[in-house]
Amino acid sequence: MLQFPLAEDPDAISREAGRKFFAGPSEFVKGVVAMDGLPSPDRIEVCFAGRSNVGKSSLINALTGTKGLARASNTPGRTQEINFFTQGPELYLVDLPGYGYANAPLKVVEKWQKLLKQYLSGRQTLRRAFVLIDARHGVKSVDDEIMKLLDASAVTFQCVLTKADKVKVKDREKVLEQVRGALAKHPAAFPELVMTSSEKGDGIPTLRSIIAHLE
């Protein structure tokens, strides 16, 4: 049996449940720089982690169907915040600081790493983390670090491959093989992958359905 298969496309009922779940309004709540600034844990939440420029903002915008909800930024300043968005009355979408910034000052990096650890280990309403991996490059050492942190925090994480439209079909299997090998070392890894393209919309209904069915 294949380890870490691609998630199957949702059936019509699950697809519609996902569509309805994300049909409600999405709004930016706040950017958090310290644990005491976290919003009230009055709903479930999912978080998104990924290297800078992996397409995190584009994926959140595609999921919610709200252009410009999450802003893409190339400046390290934005990476210091944990950004919270509401999705209807039931869910927080949480955009974690982008990692892998070579230009951010060491003190800045250490500060948000500490915040990240505190958030991941102390947020009872967090149901799943989605670790975004660029489908052109596979899992890098910095991705492995965040996965280790999720293992240590006992937070289930699911790997979402982004920018699938940039990879030729014949090259996909090689990338998937590398990703599966990397995930096999992580006990907190959820045993299904999702392949997405925010630009083309591929995999978005699947990811919506997965999130809609979390409890």
Side-chain angles (χ1 to χ4, degrees):
M1 189 176 174
L2 181 65
Q3 229 188 346
F4 299 102
L6 286 170
E8 291 183 6
D9 291 339
D11 59 28
I13 293 171
S14 295
R15 187 185 180 99
E16 179 60 11
R19 187 198 67 77
K20 277 186 175 175
F21 192 82
F22 279 89
S26 310
E27 292 178 4
F28 174 68
V29 180
K30 66 193 303 193
V32 175
V33 294
M35 286 294 283
D36 59 8
L38 292 176
S40 176
D42 57 358
R43 63 190 76 196
I44 66 167
E45 55 199 62
V46 296
C47 67
F48 298 85
R51 290 198 310 274
S52 306
N53 303 323
V54 75
K56 199 148 45 76
S57 298
S58 299
L59 184 71
I60 291 171
N61 293 341
L63 279 172
T64 60
T66 310
K67 206 171 183 179
L69 178 70
R71 291 191 189 90
S73 172
N74 291 324
T75 56
R78 290 279 295 185
T79 70
Q80 297 174 50
E81 299 181 348
I82 297 177
N83 291 309
F84 280 78
F85 305 90
T86 54
Q87 176 53 55
E90 298 172 46
L91 180 74
Y92 279 129
L93 299 170
V94 185
D95 185 4
L96 296 181
Y99 53 84
Y101 255 115
N103 299 332
L106 187 59
K107 281 190 176 178
V108 168
V109 174
E110 286 174 349
K111 185 181 175 184
W112 71 243
Q113 280 180 339
K114 184 181 175 186
L115 177 61
L116 207 54
K117 286 177 184 175
Q118 289 174 326
Y119 167 74
L120 291 173
S121 59
R123 194 68 169 168
Q124 298 296 323
T125 45
L126 180 60
R127 290 294 178 270
R128 187 167 300 175
F130 293 98
V131 176
L132 277 49
I133 302 295
D134 191 321
R136 297 170 298 179
H137 307 305
V139 175
K140 302 276 192 183
S141 57
V142 284
D143 299 314
D144 208 51
E145 288 303 313
I146 199 83
M147 291 174 187
K148 285 177 185 171
L149 180 55
L150 289 158
D151 288 337
S153 305
V155 174
T156 299
F157 70 86
Q158 187 161 9
C159 179
V160 176
L161 290 120
T162 61
K163 306 185 184 184
D165 57 302
K166 312 287 187 200
V167 182
K168 292 176 182 172
V169 175
K170 66 181 179 67
D171 296 329
R172 283 188 184 181
E173 204 49 52
K174 189 178 176 183
V175 175
L176 286 170
E177 194 177 323
Q178 188 266 354
V179 170
R180 286 169 177 141
L183 291 177
K185 304 168 193 168
H186 294 283
F190 188 80
E192 275 185 348
L193 308 175
V194 185
M195 182 84 82
T196 66
S197 164
S198 300
E199 206 170 291
K200 306 282 187 188
D202 300 344
I204 299 302
T206 304
L207 194 51
R208 282 176 175 165
S209 175
I210 288 167
I211 294 170
H213 288 88
L214 292 173
E215 292 180 357

